[in-house]
Amino acid sequence: MRKSIIAVAIGAALTVAACGDKEAAQTATEQAAEQTQQTTEQGAAAEFNQSNPFYAESSLPFQAPDFTKIEFAHYEPALLAGIEEHAKEIEAIAANSEPATFENTIVAMEKSGQLLGRVAAVFGNVAGSAGNDEFRALQVKMAPKFAAHSDNINLNADLFARVKTVYENRDQLEGEALRLVEDTYKGFVRAGAELSDDQQARIREINSEMSSVTTEFRNNLMNLVDENMVVVEDKAELAGLTESQIARLASTAESKDMPGKYVITVTNTTRQPILSSLENRELREKVWKASALRGSGNTATDNRPLVKKLAELRAEKAELLGYENWGAYVLERSMASAPEAAQSMLRDLVPAVVSNVKGEMVAIQDVINAEGGEFEVEPWDWAFYAEKVRAEKYAMDSNEVKQYFEFNRVVEDGVFYAMNQLFGISFEKRDDIPTYADDIVVYEVKDVDGESLGLFYGDWFTRDGKRGGAWMSSFVSQSHLMDTKPVILNNMNITKAADGEPTLLSFDEVSTMFHEMGHALHGMFSDVMYPSLAGTSVSRDYVEFPSTFQEDWTLNPKVLANMAKHHETGEQIPQELLDKVMAAKNFNMGYDTLEYIAAALLDLEYHTLTKEAAASIEDVNQFEEGALVRNGVDVDAVPPRYRSNFFAHVFAGGYSAGYYAYMWSEVLAADAFKYVQENGGLTLENGQAFRDAILSKGNSKDPMQQYIDFRGQKPTVDALLERRGLTAPKID
């Protein structure tokens, strides 16, 4: 089975809401309704023919999607036909009368599902980057079908018997083939292939319900953005913002049919970037509460029941599969191996981090007091006064820094330049490749020898219908078996400047661009045989390592000299200002780290519950508060980066019991980057070594062995001390 295809399909389905399962005992009316639905679906599948652009592989370079031909109406019949075709292919493999071999079972599964893979990849990416109500409605409809299709494969007894036969004779295999067999076998077992019929039936029910609840959670997040908009009528209340920022808020209001007003929309984290600039304390409080309280019953959409339900379902599934809890199930195949290791790493950081936070809080309170403020610092005050502390301590204006980071220059002379210096690759624009929305740029990536590696899509700007945050995905993954080269996509949510004005980036946005390019190159440099092992198909606590590693090139002197130039004069960023940027790099690190650790520990608290404990949660907000207290991260002025009701990573994405992975990966990244710096820094030799040992391997080799192949030893935590200035976590 090409697990990557199934994952993409289910991932696409999880982006919006779905209805709950049907009752087991249907009335005659319900049965008739289901028959009607099946007839409708059969009709939709019948509509799939050569006129549908997904019918055959795209004729564009690298099989890039042809968005000049793709219309919304093409998706549903193609998805249904893809599921049907894949099911027949799997059944043929399972029913094969010949003895099971690696080629006729495992490789055959890898080759199956090509139609479903084509359409699901495009559908999922477009839905997440430029979706609308039609996309969300279709995802609602398809979510349980994807879940059922996955179960029909994973719980197919005849198929598993063949897989098990190959697994038991795996001593004949080696290298990538051996890893694929072991990975495939373990995947079937973890899906429930060895359970009884009754247990498998319950697993199917749980999977279907989890799919529905998860997609409902994500759909609700989209609703919550509109429900929690902050509308400002008096421009004077926006004191502290630039005219450009105010113009964007007015433009947002226009798009919401509120001309003459100003609309502030919440981003996906508890902390809101605009709070660092707003002088009006009452408005700051209103914006913060709109963010922090969303989904908790403050508006029509309430995510609290969904949080509890998912915690229950996950715990029950884990117990059925023989695991103590969901965290134990998820982390079995991670570098951490168990939730206790992840919790230990995070908890070891807490004392030093909280100590740093208290020091930062004193500095902030001093500024408040000096200005005559008769109040204690609250969450909505932190960013505003932290910026004042930053300006005083480092005499640095973040808006001044932005003048030297114009978007196009950062892309061309920063990110692309650094990747050229490190890997020898180049990015050539392909204006002939169509895209699914405006402002997306497509590049053909050329290797150091001029050979084409694949395509890279840069979708960097925010738009209506785009989910929050930044991420990497793909339309086509690399595979020698399938003779495919990668077609990679980076997404961000940069706010584009008004027409005629330059888009200027914060230093954090610049760093994020380097981070996402790290993910992109993990997919682009993939050099494996089997698609299930390609690119970023690695554990959660390893996948963030290559991307975090690339972040630190942002501050490389050679890279800065090439990209950090004033957008009007072209003058190099002054060394004095650059020194302030460097000195301020770890400013507010206590806050940044604590809000992350609090969210990561909250994730693990939910996912180390037993089924009974999850069912006993009476109030999600009280559970969250108790979890923070138990872990010593209950600092009122520093709430978790994500609160339960809008924690998309774990309740609507793939990071359940795995949000800790960012910190775990940072240990690897910091250690690797320090090693590279000690051995020449930004050189082709270092880049090639990192590419050969890490970026090209995907999941074809054990992650820790990949790291040892590159570094010569396991990672130590010393470099993390330098990167964050914190007490070292422990990694065994």
Side-chain angles (χ1 to χ4, degrees), residues 427-466:
F427 295 76
E428 300 179 5
K429 280 188 179 180
R430 290 293 303 261
D431 295 329
D432 58 318
I433 304 293
T435 61
Y436 53 85
D438 294 336
D439 298 327
I440 300 172
V441 185
V442 182
Y443 301 86
E444 183 173 351
V445 184
K446 298 289 187 69
D447 209 341
V448 64
D449 60 0
E451 181 182 349
S452 292
L453 285 168
L455 293 178
F456 170 76
Y457 289 60
D459 185 357
W460 291 293
F461 298 108
T462 190
R463 71 174 63 87
D464 286 343
K466 192 177 196 180

Side-chain angles (χ1 to χ4, degrees), residues 607-630:
H607 295 116
T608 50
L609 295 173
T610 63
K611 179 178 64 174
E612 292 75 20
S616 70
I617 295 175
E618 295 183 359
D619 182 88
V620 164
N621 293 341
Q622 288 181 4
F623 177 85
E624 178 179 301
E625 183 179 348
L628 299 179
V629 171
R630 284 192 295 276

Side-chain angles (χ1 to χ4, degrees), residues 343-517:
Q343 288 170 315
S344 177
M345 182 267 288
L346 295 168
R347 288 168 179 162
D348 283 351
L349 287 168
V350 169
V353 173
V354 171
S355 177
N356 282 2
V357 165
K358 290 179 178 178
E360 293 168 2
M361 192 181 300
V362 168
I364 286 173
Q365 192 64 50
D366 286 345
V367 174
I368 293 173
N369 296 341
E371 294 186 354
E374 298 181 356
F375 56 85
E376 297 294 319
V377 59
E378 296 283 359
W380 49 87
D381 298 315
W382 190 289
F384 181 74
Y385 287 99
E387 192 59 36
K388 288 177 177 284
V389 174
R390 184 201 300 268
E392 179 181 339
K393 188 172 183 179
Y394 301 103
M396 184 182 74
D397 180 353
S398 58
N399 282 325
E400 180 185 1
V401 175
K402 285 185 178 182
Q403 307 305 307
Y404 295 90
F405 293 103
E406 188 272 327
F407 169 77
N408 290 305
R409 190 181 294 276
V410 169
V411 173
E412 300 284 348
D413 299 338
V415 179
F416 290 175
Y417 171 78
M419 299 306 102
N420 173 262
Q421 294 297 297
L422 190 61
F423 301 110
I425 60 175
S426 58
F427 295 76
E428 300 179 5
K429 280 188 179 180
R430 290 293 303 261
D431 295 329
D432 58 318
I433 304 293
T435 61
Y436 53 85
D438 294 336
D439 298 327
I440 300 172
V441 185
V442 182
Y443 301 86
E444 183 173 351
V445 184
K446 298 289 187 69
D447 209 341
V448 64
D449 60 0
E451 181 182 349
S452 292
L453 285 168
L455 293 178
F456 170 76
Y457 289 60
D459 185 357
W460 291 293
F461 298 108
T462 190
R463 71 174 63 87
D464 286 343
K466 192 177 196 180
R467 66 183 177 91
W471 67 95
M472 165 267 186
S473 188
S474 63
F475 290 117
V476 181
S477 62
Q478 179 273 331
S479 166
H480 294 306
L481 178 70
M482 309 305 295
D483 193 26
T484 53
K485 291 187 175 183
V487 179
I488 304 297
L489 173 67
N490 267 181
N491 266 284
M492 287 184 63
N493 271 278
I494 296 170
T495 300
K496 193 174 185 180
D499 290 344
E501 295 185 19
T503 297
L504 305 178
L505 306 183
S506 69
F507 194 77
D508 284 345
E509 288 174 325
V510 176
S511 180
T512 300
M513 292 192 77
F514 277 79
H515 179 99
E516 295 307 326
M517 180 54 68

Side-chain angles (χ1 to χ4, degrees), residues 91-136:
E91 188 55 40
I93 296 169
N96 191 341
S97 59
E98 297 179 1
T101 67
F102 176 71
E103 288 294 331
N104 70 18
T105 302
I106 306 300
V107 174
M109 291 163 63
E110 287 289 292
K111 291 180 177 179
S112 68
Q114 293 182 45
L115 169 58
L116 181 56
R118 280 198 302 274
V119 62
V122 178
F123 178 63
N125 280 315
V126 177
S129 301
N132 55 31
D133 290 343
E134 283 187 309
F135 274 93
R136 286 186 280 277

Side-chain angles (χ1 to χ4, degrees), residues 451-616:
E451 181 182 349
S452 292
L453 285 168
L455 293 178
F456 170 76
Y457 289 60
D459 185 357
W460 291 293
F461 298 108
T462 190
R463 71 174 63 87
D464 286 343
K466 192 177 196 180
R467 66 183 177 91
W471 67 95
M472 165 267 186
S473 188
S474 63
F475 290 117
V476 181
S477 62
Q478 179 273 331
S479 166
H480 294 306
L481 178 70
M482 309 305 295
D483 193 26
T484 53
K485 291 187 175 183
V487 179
I488 304 297
L489 173 67
N490 267 181
N491 266 284
M492 287 184 63
N493 271 278
I494 296 170
T495 300
K496 193 174 185 180
D499 290 344
E501 295 185 19
T503 297
L504 305 178
L505 306 183
S506 69
F507 194 77
D508 284 345
E509 288 174 325
V510 176
S511 180
T512 300
M513 292 192 77
F514 277 79
H515 179 99
E516 295 307 326
M517 180 54 68
H519 283 307
L521 293 187
H522 202 178
M524 188 65 66
F525 285 148
S526 179
D527 187 17
V528 303
M529 176 65 70
Y530 306 107
S532 290
L533 302 178
T536 56
S537 300
V538 297
S539 65
R540 288 293 184 191
D541 53 7
Y542 191 69
V543 75
E544 296 297 334
F545 154 46
S547 52
T548 306
F549 171 85
Q550 300 297 350
E551 281 183 35
D552 286 350
W553 297 115
T554 310
L555 285 171
N556 179 272
K558 192 174 180 180
V559 175
L560 280 169
N562 204 58
M563 76 169 168
K565 299 178 181 180
H566 197 281
H567 70 96
E568 291 180 333
T569 67
E571 294 179 2
Q572 191 74 43
I573 187 170
Q575 188 60 45
E576 181 182 1
L577 182 59
L578 182 57
D579 289 343
K580 293 174 183 176
V581 172
M582 300 284 281
K585 182 172 177 283
N586 286 335
F587 173 77
N588 212 38
M589 188 56 75
Y591 182 105
D592 291 345
T593 307
L594 182 59
E595 66 163 6
Y596 164 78
I597 289 177
L601 286 168
L602 178 61
D603 167 31
L604 289 166
E605 284 280 333
Y606 277 113
H607 295 116
T608 50
L609 295 173
T610 63
K611 179 178 64 174
E612 292 75 20
S616 70

